[in-house]
Amino acid sequence: MDVENVTALHQAPIASLQGRFSSIRTTLLSQILGRIGSGIIVLWAAITLSFISLHVAPGDIVSLLIGEQIRTPAIEAAIRAEWGLDEPLIKQYLSYLWRVLHGDFGRSYVLQTDVATLVLSQIWPTLKLTGAALVVAVVFAVVSAVATAGLRWPRRIAGGMELVLVSTPSFWLGIVLLFVFSFTLKLFPVAGDRNFAALVLPALSLGLSLGAVIGQVLREGLERALEEPFALTVRSWGANALTLRLRHGLRHAALPAVTLTGWLIGNLLSGAVITEQVFGRPGLGKITVDAVLGKDLPVVLAVAILSAFIYVVLSTLVDTLYLLLDPRLRART
Amino acid sequence: MKIPFRQYFLPLIAAAGTTFAAGVTQAADATPVTGGALVWGVETDPATLNPQLNGQDKTKLLLRNVFESLLSRTADGGYVPWLANEYRISDDGKTYTFTLRDGVTFTDGEKLDAAAVVKNFTRLKDAAYSGSASAGPVSKVADAKALDAHTVELTLSEVYAPFLDFAASLEILSPKAFDSAQLKSGGTEIAGTGPFILKRYVKGQDIHFVKNAAYNWAPKTAAHQGPAYLDEVTYRFLPESSVRTGALSSGQVDVIEGISGNDAGLFKDNPDFTYQNALNTGTPYSLFLNVTYGPTQDVKVRKALLAAVDVDAVLKSVYRGERTRAWGITSPIDAQFYDKTIEGAYGTDPKLANQLLDEAGWSARDGEGFRTKDGKRLSIEIVQAQATVRDQRNVLLEAVQAQARQNAGIDLSVSYVDAGTYTDRRKTGQFGSIANSNTPTDAIDIEYHYLPIDQGGSINYSRASAPELLTWLKAAASTLDAKERFALYAKLQRFAIIEQAYALPLYEPEDQIAAASYVKGISFRQFKQLPESAYDIWRSE
């Protein structure tokens, strides 16, 4: 669902932006409306698919909630009544949609807390982690690509390093980083979401492998750009190699890398699960995994809505970035 | 907030950090020092902070800082006063009377009186509040009433021997808690009478308690009286065992619990650290063999499996000798009901195993050396819930698997399953074996495993329903004569393990605590053997 939706969303606004300058207002308005409309469809699809898949997965909710404890018909009935599980599925589904429309995300079956409060309390640490990891990834990718593109040995070494990073499980990378920088050198603290220093190692362990993937794509793009005629023109102006790479080459190379980054951010969110676990950080990751395993429907649905929302926002951002990066897209009629 | 780390090089942290030891005066080891803060790395983040609804043993050490119960248990299984000064059981064994201690207050200002205690028991009977707990021992309470401000009387519908342990151990919540929106999830509004007060809880990160300065009602089983020594204590959730080890050895936390067999050596015999462990109570980690499905329906196959596996050798290779072998249906440290004559009463005997399997008709062998009957391989599928794989149990099961194959040609396969699949398999009964352990004391562990599934045997994995089991368990629960109960459980143990081979006991799980050497007063709870709260803990520097 994710990838297709995101690419579909990419194309829509590009097409709608093809209007002339005079009609830019109408275009913008219709773009925004289209964006909101498709956003709502994505959210609805996310809710519906999560609802169906959780009900299809093995184990019924009441049994999971009782677990290994004593079960009697009275207890089962009490649980069904408490969560409205005695209603037909379609009714549960519709009443959920109705409540979400009113901003009520329900209460967690397992944690017994208000889902909106729970998710909001855990979203900030996760956003900080993924945001920092994204910065790590982009900085790593740009530096490694700009510094080594087109240079025979440096690019081989960087490429090899990236390959190692991509294939290293982030769990293992996290443990190694902890052992070196926290337990042995005592530079960074291990746990929690307290201050900037506590964010460094988790961000590295989550961001480096992503940076390695983007770096490879970016380097290839850069190398292709440097072989194009415009590179020769720029050189003939007397620009030095770095200016050429940074100001001109990178722009051309960035488009595929930006697309890739856009949907790799989804990986960041799921990769955060393991990183949060290793570093003892609060966050959505563990909560989501536990909720899926325990069929904690209200939590799973809230997270699904949230991730769909993030995707919609991100794809909008990516589309906007296209326009900034490539003037041709703005002018095309 | 104090930063409980040692100082780091980064200026950012150094600016924010204060050395916590500053407020603590130096003292010799012998005289406890008041003051200071402690950081403890723990494995498990509680599912709920309401102790009455929380079934996770691994989180009891946190909750016990806040919540207390009527009586405390001594090492030999006896009872001493705590929130109750004394208790009486009527001659017919059905009426329990508790006299409450004077002057105890909850940290939200409410008084501990008979009405408050009665409210705890009556609310617990309500399935809408307590779910499964309502069907537990509290379901035997026919009537709970306050005779006067200090006297609580509980009348049971029938004699039920494990009731005293339940009533004595129930964590008493403030009566105000039952009106709070936080009741089920727990939180700062849910007050207890304990030596610490819950100040902050960040799911996935840590839980923070501060001292209750008014506290003055510790039980005799504690090492001191009056308020706790520490001003504050923080438990940080570090689910990865190697991360906990690293955090302690690099001085980022003061204490950790849950140490793998491989890491124990780092702290044992190291003057900078202390290391202690305690065997759990309750049922050992055992392979329960399904008597209603597949080859294990035949008692000969079950007995053959018990004879085929060399448990001692397996434990030695997997845990480097750091775990204790189990033989019976309850923990070898159970002071009341463990009959140790079971030890050595059966054992590894590959010859016997092979002979039993031949007799059972599993005499042919296939290309891989596994036994077969009518062209079908002798396969037993162990279903292990992914959630309870810890303490290298996956490695342990592999070692057992190898022994069964090598010594008797039995194909043990292990399926690690998610919670949903696990529940489904349990429900349908389609599995060869389930491996698990549990920790209740006072033979409640035995009831859960050996009562019929529909009569309270909520984890009767072997699905055994021999009429003897019910008869003995009922007889044992309905007498308060400890000797008679011991004899009945001993009989059941021999029947279940030796005669019927319902289970292959492997090892008794344990808790481990490692701490920096300046942390004093760490202990395990008497009798129940779980890590104790931070009440007696102090820092010598």
Side-chain angles (χ1 to χ4, degrees):
Chain A
M1 173 196 90
D2 305 334
V3 176
E4 281 163 18
N5 268 324
V6 172
T7 39
L9 290 166
H10 287 167
Q11 282 148 11
I14 293 170
S16 70
L17 253 190
Q18 287 168 359
R20 285 165 196 275
F21 239 88
S22 55
S23 62
I24 197 148
R25 243 197 217 151
T26 3
T27 336
L28 209 62
L29 193 71
S30 71
Q31 187 204 355
I32 291 171
L33 285 179
R35 182 55 80 180
I36 292 175
S38 57
I40 289 173
I41 293 174
V42 170
L43 286 178
W44 170 77
I47 295 174
T48 311
L49 286 177
S50 320
F51 195 91
I52 295 173
S53 51
L54 268 200
H55 277 284
V56 171
D60 81 293
I61 293 170
V62 175
S63 301
L64 273 164
L65 286 178
I66 294 178
E68 309 254 76
Q69 296 164 289
I70 304 168
R71 65 187 303 157
T72 63
I75 291 168
E76 288 177 29
I79 291 176
R80 277 182 213 284
E82 177 170 12
W83 304 111
L85 299 172
D86 38 8
E87 306 274 0
L89 266 190
I90 182 74
K91 209 173 160 194
Q92 290 180 39
Y93 168 72
L94 291 175
S95 76
Y96 180 79
L97 284 183
W98 182 249
R99 278 183 283 124
V100 165
L101 278 178
H102 295 77
D104 174 9
F105 291 85
R107 218 153 45 87
S108 157
Y109 297 162
V110 178
L111 301 171
Q112 304 275 6
T113 48
D114 180 58
V115 170
T117 324
L118 177 74
V119 169
L120 286 179
S121 74
Q122 300 287 319
I123 179 93
W124 181 231
T126 299
L127 285 183
K128 266 200 282 189
L129 173 62
T130 45
L134 191 62
V135 171
V136 167
V138 170
V139 169
F140 178 89
V142 169
V143 169
S144 136
V146 169
T148 63
L151 308 169
R152 199 167 157 219
W153 279 107
R155 82 180 294 284
R156 279 195 186 171
I157 295 169
M161 209 169 77
E162 284 162 359
L163 205 65
V164 171
L165 281 174
V166 170
S167 39
T168 307
S170 72
F171 173 83
W172 192 79
L173 186 61
I175 297 269
V176 168
L177 287 172
L178 273 176
F179 263 91
V180 176
F181 294 102
S182 182
F183 302 159
T184 311
L185 299 175
K186 303 188 181 177
L187 284 172
F188 298 100
V190 47
D193 169 40
R194 269 176 297 260
N195 48 31
F196 178 71
L199 189 59
V200 174
L201 295 182
L204 284 176
S205 79
L206 185 59
L208 281 179
S209 64
L210 180 70
V213 177
I214 304 171
Q216 301 218 317
V217 173
L218 197 60
R219 182 180 306 106
E220 264 177 44
L222 200 53
E223 282 167 351
R224 233 177 300 126
L226 291 179
E227 280 164 16
E228 285 196 24
F230 82 84
L232 193 64
T233 318
V234 174
R235 278 205 193 97
S236 71
W237 296 341
N240 69 23
L242 193 63
T243 318
L244 168 65
R245 280 162 187 244
L246 285 177
R247 292 205 46 187
H248 304 277
L250 213 48
R251 261 199 171 183
H252 287 259
L255 272 189
V258 167
T259 315
L260 189 67
T261 313
W263 65 264
L264 276 181
I265 289 178
N267 284 25
L268 274 184
L269 284 174
S270 52
V273 179
I274 290 161
T275 311
E276 283 165 3
Q277 171 110 350
V278 170
F279 289 89
R281 283 180 63 87
L284 278 185
K286 180 131 196 334
I287 285 186
T288 311
V289 172
D290 288 349
V292 170
L293 291 179
K295 284 205 169 188
D296 196 346
L297 211 59
V299 176
V300 176
L301 291 176
V303 172
I305 292 172
L306 190 73
S307 355
F309 179 75
I310 291 175
Y311 266 111
V312 171
V313 171
L314 279 180
S315 56
T316 313
L317 280 178
V318 168
D319 290 343
T320 321
L321 260 184
Y322 281 162
L323 301 177
L324 289 176
L325 284 169
D326 193 343
R328 285 171 300 184
L329 288 178
R330 279 173 265 173
R332 207 187 291 159
T333 40
Chain B
M1 189 193 80
K2 281 183 179 174
I3 303 284
F5 295 141
R6 295 205 173 143
Q7 302 261 350
Y8 288 91
F9 305 149
L10 280 188
L12 223 145
I13 317 177
T18 47
T19 340
F20 45 76
V24 183
T25 39
Q26 291 282 338
D29 283 4
T31 4
V33 181
T34 299
L38 190 84
V39 183
W40 187 324
V42 296
E43 182 173 1
T44 310
D45 191 350
T48 160
L49 298 178
N50 179 332
Q52 296 181 347
L53 305 181
N54 186 312
Q56 306 162 287
D57 286 318
K58 294 285 261 175
T59 66
K60 295 289 180 205
L61 80 163
L62 318 174
L63 302 175
R64 234 169 117 82
N65 285 311
V66 174
F67 301 102
E68 302 185 303
S69 55
L70 294 177
L71 304 172
S72 174
R73 307 229 29 195
T74 54
D76 59 359
Y79 296 84
V80 292
W82 197 355
L83 297 181
N85 277 330
E86 55 180 277
Y87 71 98
R88 262 193 334 274
I89 303 174
S90 66
D91 291 339
D92 66 357
K94 286 191 189 169
T95 306
Y96 289 67
T97 315
F98 294 91
T99 314
L100 301 181
R101 186 182 174 122
D102 243 337
V104 176
T105 49
F106 293 96
T107 53
D108 62 0
E110 294 289 299
K111 259 186 130 85
L112 175 91
D113 56 16
V117 174
V118 166
K119 189 167 195 176
N120 274 268
F121 280 94
T122 44
R123 283 306 304 275
L124 202 67
K125 279 176 70 79
D126 178 7
Y129 161 56
S130 70
S132 289
S134 67
V138 79
S139 65
K140 316 272 183 191
V141 177
D143 186 31
K145 61 176 180 249
L147 295 185
D148 58 48
H150 288 106
T151 318
V152 179
E153 190 183 88
L154 305 171
T155 311
L156 307 192
S157 52
E158 58 182 325
V159 176
Y160 182 61
F163 186 77
L164 181 58
D165 172 67
F166 162 76
S169 316
L170 179 70
E171 299 87 347
I172 305 294
L173 313 185
S174 162
K176 250 196 212 164
F178 293 98
D179 305 321
S180 164
Q182 289 182 351
L183 176 62
K184 286 192 169 188
S185 63
T188 47
E189 288 176 21
I190 310 302
T193 55
F196 288 92
I197 303 166
L198 170 64
K199 262 286 160 305
R200 189 193 69 230
Y201 168 58
V202 182
K203 187 151 192 56
Q205 176 169 297
D206 57 15
I207 185 164
H208 180 72
F209 301 94
V210 297
K211 169 154 70 179
N212 172 9
Y215 184 77
N216 191 26
W217 40 85
K220 275 210 191 85
T221 44
H224 81 291
Q225 296 292 314
Y229 296 126
L230 293 167
D231 292 330
E232 46 192 300
V233 55
T234 307
Y235 298 85
R236 200 171 290 164
F237 308 121
L238 301 174
E240 287 307 321
S241 147
S242 55
V243 173
R244 287 194 299 279
T245 300
L248 176 62
S249 46
S250 61
Q252 302 185 41
V253 299
D254 306 306
V255 188
I256 57 173
E257 60 88 29
I259 294 124
S260 74
N262 286 333
D263 290 347
L266 287 174
F267 305 116
K268 266 183 165 178
D269 312 317
N270 180 339
D272 294 334
F273 299 99
T274 57
Y275 175 89
Q276 43 188 314
N277 62 334
L279 290 192
N280 286 169
T281 54
T283 320
Y285 183 71
S286 316
L287 289 182
F288 292 91
L289 307 173
N290 190 343
V291 301
T292 63
Y293 180 79
T296 46
Q297 289 174 84
D298 186 342
V299 64
K300 284 187 174 157
V301 172
R302 301 199 298 269
K303 281 185 169 174
L305 185 64
L306 262 68
V309 180
D310 184 347
V311 178
D312 285 324
V314 166
L315 293 180
K316 203 164 181 191
S317 71
V318 176
Y319 297 108
R320 302 189 182 189
E322 293 287 342
R323 295 292 181 271
T324 308
R325 171 167 190 184
W327 294 87
I329 55 172
T330 192
S331 171
I333 53 152
D334 186 299
Q336 304 178 105
F337 301 129
Y338 178 61
D339 174 17
K340 62 184 292 189
T341 61
I342 187 93
E343 293 179 13
Y346 63 97
T348 325
D349 187 348
K351 222 176 110 189
L352 173 69
N354 285 300
Q355 182 195 328
L356 284 165
L357 291 173
D358 285 338
E359 285 171 24
W362 297 94
S363 41
R365 298 260 184 171
D366 67 9
E368 290 177 62
F370 292 116
R371 286 176 175 271
T372 59
K373 179 158 101 178
D374 308 329
K376 270 184 75 182
R377 181 184 282 186
L378 176 49
S379 291
I380 302 170
E381 186 197 16
I382 304 173
V383 173
Q384 166 73 57
Q386 193 67 55
T388 53
V389 179
R390 55 185 162 87
D391 202 17
Q392 295 169 276
R393 285 173 180 181
N394 47 343
V395 188
L396 174 66
L397 290 178
E398 273 170 34
V400 171
Q401 197 175 29
Q403 291 249 338
R405 176 179 189 168
Q406 207 177 337
N407 292 346
I410 301 171
D411 173 29
L412 277 184
S413 62
V414 188
S415 304
Y416 297 97
V417 298
D418 63 278
T421 310
Y422 182 74
T423 333
D424 273 1
R425 299 290 291 274
R426 289 253 353 249
K427 216 174 185 175
T428 56
Q430 296 189 356
F431 57 86
S433 168
I434 283 181
N436 212 340
S437 61
N438 80 333
T439 57
T441 56
D442 296 86
I444 290 183
D445 55 332
I446 304 174
E447 293 197 346
Y448 285 167
H449 277 298
Y450 291 103
L451 280 174
I453 291 176
D454 54 354
Q455 291 180 59
S458 59
I459 45 176
N460 184 344
Y461 302 122
S462 64
R463 305 177 83 81
S465 56
E468 296 94 318
L469 295 171
L470 185 60
T471 313
W472 293 331
L473 287 171
K474 279 219 155 153
S478 56
T479 173
L480 298 182
D481 181 344
K483 266 196 191 143
E484 201 181 324
R485 292 183 75 197
F486 178 91
L488 284 162
Y489 294 129
K491 210 189 271 182
L492 192 151
Q493 178 166 267
R494 291 206 156 247
F495 178 78
I497 305 293
I498 296 176
E499 279 176 46
Q500 291 295 323
Y502 289 141
L504 167 58
L506 293 171
Y507 78 100
E508 188 60 42
E510 59 175 47
D511 278 295
Q512 309 88 13
I513 303 177
S517 55
Y518 54 78
V519 182
K520 310 289 182 190
I522 295 173
S523 65
F524 290 94
R525 223 198 287 182
Q526 292 182 26
F527 187 69
K528 299 254 174 177
Q529 297 293 318
L530 299 168
E532 186 52 285
S533 74
Y535 175 61
D536 281 329
I537 297 179
W538 53 284
R539 305 177 55 115
S540 65
E541 65 178 61

